[in-house]
Amino acid sequence: MTLHDSPTDTRNEPSEADLSRAAFTLIRAAAACAAFCEHIEHNEPATTHQVVTAAESMRRVAAELADQSGVSLRQAYEDRIRGVEASSLLRYAGAAEQVELVGADALASARRWDEVQIAQLAHDRRFHPDVFGLPKIEQLRHYSFHVTKLAGLLADAVEQGSWDAFRDERLADIAVFGVKLATVCNEHLPSTDVDLT
């Protein structure tokens, strides 16, 4: 069963105030990433603390929105990664020699953030070698573009009343980039459940 085929739709919708707060959380996360990158480019003092904090807030807001919507964030995350992998030609690369589970397969048994982080690494190594091979600062810059895009899409969803579409297509991405930002800063995620309930 996926997000889209539950026989009785028991999903709720977060309030407009909750969605607006979530959009501001993403805007602040994007700003934290941009500020860190700018400080590094100008050879100014910078720590990854602000990026790690932004990543944590993104994972928290994704979990809260999923919970308020009656959606399993863990399942939505797995479905999102499985969809990316299914549409990629890279799914055939090295299949004969494969000894590790790729992201979606590893996510099928992941329940905690630390397990999701390892699964995300496996996915990124195989399906996003163009970004995975970049220097860490370039990876962070790339991820900040994604976070900025998500902030804009969520703001549009709030203004247009299109939460359902955002939930089904992009909610998991908030968590995905909350994991990626922490990982690029070498922050080990906690052994806590992804889903709040």
Side-chain angles (χ1 to χ4, degrees):
M1 182 180 291
T2 68
L3 261 155
H4 307 289
D5 63 338
S6 59
T8 56
D9 194 350
T10 58
R11 292 185 234 165
N12 301 311
E13 186 169 310
S15 70
E16 186 173 330
D18 287 335
L19 292 173
S20 293
R21 275 192 295 276
F24 279 112
T25 296
L26 292 180
I27 291 165
R28 288 184 191 100
C33 293
F36 178 82
C37 290
E38 181 185 32
H39 289 305
I40 295 299
E41 286 182 354
H42 291 293
N43 201 26
E44 298 169 350
T47 67
T48 59
H49 176 75
Q50 62 194 14
V51 177
V52 169
T53 301
E56 184 178 352
S57 69
M58 289 176 65
R59 293 189 309 274
R60 185 186 68 250
V61 79
E64 289 169 355
L65 291 175
D67 189 58
Q68 292 167 4
S69 299
V71 170
S72 165
L73 180 59
R74 195 217 57 80
Q75 187 63 55
Y77 197 118
E78 179 187 340
D79 291 347
R80 178 69 169 130
I81 298 301
R82 194 170 298 284
V84 169
E85 291 177 2
S87 67
S88 175
L89 287 175
L90 292 173
R91 72 183 182 275
Y92 301 112
E97 311 86 44
Q98 184 178 336
V99 293
E100 69 178 347
L101 293 173
V102 291
D105 292 337
L107 283 166
S109 62
R111 298 290 178 265
R112 300 183 326 249
W113 284 115
D114 58 339
E115 296 168 334
V116 167
Q117 185 175 35
I118 299 303
Q120 185 68 53
L121 270 170
H123 167 82
D124 289 345
R125 183 181 308 117
R126 175 125 180 235
F127 291 94
H128 303 290
D130 52 334
V131 177
F132 191 80
L134 291 172
K136 298 298 183 199
I137 190 67
E138 295 300 324
Q139 288 179 41
L140 182 56
R141 182 179 291 113
H142 179 79
Y143 299 156
S144 67
F145 295 153
H146 282 279
V147 175
T148 302
K149 178 177 73 175
L150 285 169
L153 291 171
L154 182 53
D156 289 347
V158 171
E159 285 183 348
Q160 298 165 5
S162 56
W163 166 246
D164 290 350
F166 184 91
R167 177 198 60 217
D168 292 348
E169 297 169 17
R170 296 296 180 181
L171 175 58
D173 289 349
I174 298 172
V176 166
F177 286 98
V179 170
K180 287 177 180 256
L181 288 173
T183 302
V184 79
C185 292
N186 200 32
E187 179 74 14
H188 297 266
L189 295 186
S191 294
T192 56
D193 288 342
V194 172
D195 288 321
L196 295 180
T197 56

